[in-house]
Amino acid sequence: MAEDRVHGDGAEGGKRAKAQRGIRSLETAGAILRVMAEANGPMKLRDIAEAVDVAPAQLHPYLVSLRGMQMVEQTDTGLYGLGPFALQLGMSRLRAQDAYHEAIVRISALAEETGLMVALSVWGLHGVTIVHVRETIARIHANVRAGGGFGLTNTATGRLFVAFLPETMTAPLIRQELAERASTESRFSFDETAYRADIARIRRERYETTLDLPIPGVSAVTAPVFDFTGEMKLAITVIGPTQQIDLGPEGAAVRATLDFARKLSTDLGYHPA
C-alpha cells in the first residue's frame, strides 16, 4: 500500500481529476476511525485490520499516529478505542447541526415520495407550532399552515409532543386546552385514562396516527426527531386524504415517515438506548 500516494477517481487526468484527488493514507485513517466509531467498544488490533482490510503490520503505524493526535487511545488491556479529540470533533459537528435546517433541506423528498402534505412542528410558547408546510397536489381541506398549531389532546402531533416532552411543559397547556374545548363543545368529554394509555403507547411505538380526526376525511401520521442529547426537537407529520393514506404499521406513508425521522435523528447524533 503506497502510504502517501495521491490518486484520482478515473483514468482520465485533466482539471476535474486534479481537483478531486486525495491522499490515500488519510482515507485509510478515516476508514479506521469509521470502523472504531461503529464498534460497540474498544477493539483488538487484528479485528480493526480485518475490518479495514489491511495487514496488522501495516495498520500499526496508523494507530501510532492516531494515538499521537488523540484520535485513538489504547486501553490497559491493549484494545483500541476512539480518543478524546475524536469526541471533541464529534461534539463540534453535532453542535453545528440544526434539526430545523436539516429537515427543511430534506422535506421535499418526503413529500414527493408520499405524494402527501408534510408539516414540521416544534414546541413553542403556546404549545405545538407549525413552522413549515410542504404541500403537494393531494390537496386537503384543513387549516395547516406555518404559524398555526396542533391540539395536544385531539391531534397525532400534539399527543406525540406530550409523549416525549416533560410533563411540566405540557400539563398546563393540556388543562387550558381541555377547559377551552369544554366551553365550546356541547358534548365534550375527555377520558383521561384512555389518553394516558395512548401516550404510553406512543412512547413505545415512537409514532402516532389519526384517522378522520380532528377533521373528517383527513388523516395523518407523525414521528419525532431527536438530537444527540436525546431531546425531541421537532415532529414530522404527513397529512392527506383518508383514502390516500394507509395508516397500517407497514403502510407506505407510515414507513416513509418513520424512516425519515430515524435517519434525520441519526444524522443529528441520536442513538437510542
Side-chain angles (χ1 to χ4, degrees):
M1 177 170 53
E3 300 300 328
D4 296 311
R5 185 170 66 236
V6 296
H7 64 93
D9 61 344
E12 305 233 350
K15 295 181 179 179
R16 183 173 180 273
K18 289 180 180 179
Q20 294 185 352
R21 67 183 181 179
I23 300 175
R24 182 163 298 173
S25 59
L26 291 180
E27 294 175 359
T28 301
I32 293 168
L33 293 173
R34 180 181 295 276
V35 165
M36 299 176 73
E38 294 175 349
N40 293 326
M43 303 175 67
K44 295 180 180 179
L45 185 147
R46 68 169 180 267
D47 292 335
I48 301 173
E50 180 179 351
V52 182
D53 194 24
V54 300
Q58 291 177 302
L59 176 66
H60 187 262
Y62 284 96
L63 294 177
V64 171
S65 294
L66 290 170
R67 286 180 64 192
M69 298 163 58
Q70 293 189 311
M71 292 293 288
V72 167
E73 59 186 8
Q74 191 172 19
T75 68
D76 294 338
T77 58
L79 302 180
Y80 292 90
L82 294 178
F85 187 50
L87 176 62
Q88 184 179 343
L89 287 176
M91 294 299 292
S92 177
R93 164 65 173 165
L94 292 172
R95 285 192 293 268
Q97 288 277 24
D98 179 82
Y100 172 75
H101 171 73
E102 290 296 323
I104 290 294
V105 169
R106 308 178 192 199
I107 192 174
S108 293
L110 179 60
E112 291 173 6
E113 178 183 355
T114 60
L116 302 169
M117 174 189 286
V118 182
L120 303 183
S121 304
V122 300
W123 185 259
L125 293 176
H126 304 290
V128 181
T129 303
I130 303 168
V131 291
H132 187 79
V133 177
R134 175 66 164 81
E135 294 193 54
T136 64
I137 58 174
R139 299 290 179 177
I140 61 173
H141 299 288
N143 188 23
V144 179
R145 56 180 176 75
F150 287 114
L152 300 183
T153 58
N154 61 349
T155 70
T157 308
R159 290 194 295 271
L160 190 79
F161 276 94
V162 173
F164 293 106
L165 292 185
E167 187 174 356
T168 53
M169 295 175 63
T170 60
L173 291 180
I174 290 175
R175 289 194 296 269
Q176 178 182 333
E177 180 178 308
L178 291 176
E180 291 175 354
R181 290 182 61 189
S183 66
T184 58
E185 300 176 25
S186 59
R187 297 184 179 182
F188 173 73
S189 64
F190 181 72
D191 187 335
E192 183 174 355
T193 300
Y195 182 74
R196 290 185 177 276
D198 284 339
I199 298 303
R201 172 183 51 77
I202 295 167
R203 290 195 186 104
R204 293 193 305 270
E205 298 179 351
R206 304 179 88 77
Y207 77 99
E208 176 62 323
T209 63
T210 49
L211 178 67
D212 291 326
L213 289 173
I215 301 173
V218 177
S219 298
V221 54
T222 184
V225 172
F226 301 95
D227 69 1
F228 68 100
T229 67
E231 178 183 349
M232 179 180 170
K233 304 302 293 184
L234 53 84
I236 305 292
T237 306
V238 172
I239 309 164
T242 298
Q243 68 272 19
Q244 295 183 28
I245 183 168
D246 182 356
L247 297 180
E250 298 303 322
V254 172
R255 300 315 310 171
T257 304
L258 290 175
D259 289 345
F260 183 96
R262 288 167 181 161
K263 178 63 166 59
L264 180 52
S265 295
T266 298
D267 290 348
L268 293 171
Y270 175 66
H271 296 286

